[in-house]
Amino acid sequence: MADLCIPANPDISGIGVRTAIYVQNFLCFAPIVAHLWDGKVTIDEIKGIKDQSIGMLAIAFAILISTIIEAKGPGQGQSVTNFHAAVVLDLSWMNNTSTFIWFLLYAHHRSINDMESRVIPATWSGWLGLLFSPFVAL
Protein backbone atom coordinates (compact mmCIF):
# COMPACT_ATOMS: atom_id res chain seq x y z
CA MET A 1 0.00 0.00 0.00
CA ALA A 2 2.91 2.36 0.74
CA ASP A 3 4.08 2.01 -2.87
CA LEU A 4 0.79 3.49 -4.13
CA CYS A 5 1.06 6.68 -2.05
CA ILE A 6 2.67 9.86 -3.30
CA PRO A 7 5.87 10.48 -1.33
CA ALA A 8 5.53 13.45 0.98
CA ASN A 9 7.49 16.60 0.13
CA PRO A 10 6.80 19.22 2.81
CA ASP A 11 8.97 21.80 1.03
CA ILE A 12 6.39 21.97 -1.75
CA SER A 13 3.05 20.59 -0.62
CA GLY A 14 3.37 20.93 3.15
CA ILE A 15 0.46 22.42 5.06
CA GLY A 16 2.60 25.34 6.24
CA VAL A 17 3.68 26.31 2.72
CA ARG A 18 0.16 26.10 1.33
CA THR A 19 -1.38 27.94 4.29
CA ALA A 20 1.16 30.76 3.97
CA ILE A 21 0.39 31.18 0.26
CA TYR A 22 -3.39 31.09 0.84
CA VAL A 23 -3.23 33.65 3.65
CA GLN A 24 -0.99 35.94 1.59
CA ASN A 25 -3.39 35.85 -1.32
CA PHE A 26 -6.44 36.54 0.81
CA LEU A 27 -4.63 39.41 2.54
CA CYS A 28 -3.77 40.89 -0.88
CA PHE A 29 -7.46 41.51 -1.44
CA ALA A 30 -7.90 43.56 1.76
CA PRO A 31 -6.20 46.76 0.50
CA ILE A 32 -7.92 46.42 -2.85
CA VAL A 33 -11.35 46.26 -1.24
CA ALA A 34 -10.41 49.22 0.97
CA HIS A 35 -9.27 51.27 -2.03
CA LEU A 36 -12.39 50.50 -4.04
CA TRP A 37 -14.74 51.18 -1.11
CA ASP A 38 -14.89 54.93 -1.85
CA GLY A 39 -15.21 54.44 -5.62
CA LYS A 40 -11.98 56.30 -6.45
CA VAL A 41 -8.60 54.80 -7.12
CA THR A 42 -5.73 57.26 -6.75
CA ILE A 43 -2.31 56.90 -8.30
CA ASP A 44 -0.79 56.38 -4.84
CA GLU A 45 -3.16 53.48 -4.19
CA ILE A 46 -2.21 51.96 -7.55
CA LYS A 47 1.49 52.29 -6.74
CA GLY A 48 0.94 50.52 -3.42
CA ILE A 49 -0.92 47.66 -5.08
CA LYS A 50 1.80 47.49 -7.76
CA ASP A 51 4.50 47.13 -5.10
CA GLN A 52 2.45 44.43 -3.40
CA SER A 53 2.01 42.64 -6.75
CA ILE A 54 5.74 42.69 -7.44
CA GLY A 55 6.33 41.07 -4.06
CA MET A 56 3.81 38.36 -4.81
CA LEU A 57 5.37 37.75 -8.24
CA ALA A 58 8.77 37.38 -6.59
CA ILE A 59 7.33 34.71 -4.31
CA ALA A 60 5.72 32.92 -7.26
CA PHE A 61 9.00 32.85 -9.17
CA ALA A 62 10.90 31.74 -6.07
CA ILE A 63 8.56 28.77 -5.68
CA LEU A 64 8.95 27.84 -9.36
CA ILE A 65 12.74 28.19 -9.34
CA SER A 66 13.14 26.19 -6.12
CA THR A 67 11.01 23.41 -7.59
CA ILE A 68 13.06 23.35 -10.79
CA ILE A 69 16.28 23.22 -8.78
CA GLU A 70 14.91 20.40 -6.65
CA ALA A 71 13.71 18.49 -9.71
CA LYS A 72 17.01 18.89 -11.56
CA GLY A 73 19.15 18.22 -8.47
CA PRO A 74 21.66 15.41 -8.15
CA GLY A 75 18.93 12.89 -7.37
CA GLN A 76 19.53 12.66 -3.65
CA GLY A 77 16.63 12.98 -1.27
CA GLN A 78 13.09 13.58 -2.45
CA SER A 79 12.10 14.03 -6.04
CA VAL A 80 9.38 16.17 -7.57
CA THR A 81 6.39 14.16 -8.72
CA ASN A 82 3.68 15.24 -11.13
CA PHE A 83 1.46 15.90 -8.13
CA HIS A 84 4.01 18.27 -6.58
CA ALA A 85 4.51 20.03 -9.93
CA ALA A 86 0.74 20.58 -10.15
CA VAL A 87 0.68 21.97 -6.59
CA VAL A 88 3.51 24.38 -7.42
CA LEU A 89 1.79 25.57 -10.59
CA ASP A 90 -1.47 26.10 -8.71
CA LEU A 91 0.26 28.08 -5.96
CA SER A 92 2.13 30.19 -8.51
CA TRP A 93 -1.10 30.85 -10.41
CA MET A 94 -2.71 32.08 -7.20
CA ASN A 95 0.21 34.45 -6.60
CA ASN A 96 -0.09 35.84 -10.13
CA THR A 97 -3.70 36.89 -9.58
CA SER A 98 -2.50 39.92 -7.62
CA THR A 99 -0.80 41.24 -10.76
CA PHE A 100 -4.01 40.83 -12.73
CA ILE A 101 -5.90 42.72 -10.02
CA TRP A 102 -3.30 45.52 -10.20
CA PHE A 103 -3.91 45.74 -13.96
CA LEU A 104 -7.68 45.96 -13.40
CA LEU A 105 -7.20 48.81 -10.91
CA TYR A 106 -4.89 50.57 -13.35
CA ALA A 107 -7.46 50.16 -16.12
CA HIS A 108 -10.17 51.51 -13.82
CA HIS A 109 -8.01 54.50 -12.92
CA ARG A 110 -7.15 55.30 -16.54
CA SER A 111 -10.75 54.88 -17.71
CA ILE A 112 -12.19 57.13 -14.99
CA ASN A 113 -9.63 59.89 -14.57
CA ASP A 114 -9.99 63.51 -13.47
CA MET A 115 -7.67 64.72 -16.23
CA GLU A 116 -9.63 64.50 -19.48
CA SER A 117 -6.47 64.33 -21.61
CA ARG A 118 -5.37 61.07 -19.93
CA VAL A 119 -8.71 59.26 -20.02
CA ILE A 120 -8.76 56.03 -21.98
CA PRO A 121 -12.18 54.83 -23.09
CA ALA A 122 -13.19 51.60 -21.38
CA THR A 123 -13.30 49.70 -24.66
CA TRP A 124 -11.07 47.10 -26.31
CA SER A 125 -10.14 49.52 -29.08
CA GLY A 126 -9.18 52.22 -26.56
CA TRP A 127 -6.84 49.90 -24.67
CA LEU A 128 -5.40 48.34 -27.83
CA GLY A 129 -4.65 51.85 -29.06
CA LEU A 130 -2.76 52.56 -25.84
CA LEU A 131 -0.85 49.26 -26.00
CA PHE A 132 0.19 49.78 -29.61
CA SER A 133 0.97 53.50 -29.25
CA PRO A 134 4.74 52.92 -28.82
CA PHE A 135 4.80 51.12 -32.18
CA VAL A 136 3.15 54.04 -33.96
CA ALA A 137 6.33 56.08 -33.54
CA LEU A 138 8.28 53.38 -35.40
Side-chain angles (χ1 to χ4, degrees):
M1 185 71 166
D3 294 337
L4 300 176
C5 293
I6 296 172
N9 192 341
D11 293 337
I12 295 174
S13 61
I15 190 72
V17 173
R18 290 182 302 167
T19 303
I21 299 275
Y22 299 149
V23 169
Q24 268 181 326
N25 281 293
F26 285 126
L27 290 177
C28 276
F29 289 105
I32 294 165
V33 170
H35 295 327
L36 288 175
W37 198 265
D38 62 355
K40 284 190 168 188
V41 180
T42 65
I43 196 69
D44 291 332
E45 293 170 344
I46 289 176
K47 286 180 183 178
I49 298 298
K50 179 179 141 188
D51 292 341
Q52 176 182 320
S53 297
I54 290 171
M56 292 299 288
L57 280 176
I59 292 169
F61 284 123
I63 292 171
L64 287 173
I65 290 170
S66 66
T67 303
I68 291 169
I69 289 171
E70 189 171 337
K72 295 296 181 182
Q76 299 169 343
Q78 298 174 338
S79 64
V80 177
T81 63
N82 290 340
F83 169 74
H84 294 109
V87 168
V88 167
L89 290 175
D90 288 342
L91 293 176
S92 295
W93 175 84
M94 283 180 56
N95 282 339
N96 291 333
T97 57
S98 63
T99 305
F100 182 66
I101 291 170
W102 167 77
F103 175 74
L104 290 177
L105 285 177
Y106 180 74
H108 175 74
H109 176 73
R110 289 297 300 267
S111 298
I112 305 170
N113 199 338
D114 295 336
M115 296 173 26
E116 290 294 326
S117 63
R118 298 196 61 188
V119 171
I120 298 170
T123 62
W124 285 109
S125 60
W127 278 95
L128 286 176
L130 175 71
L131 291 174
F132 290 124
S133 63
F135 298 114
V136 173
L138 295 174

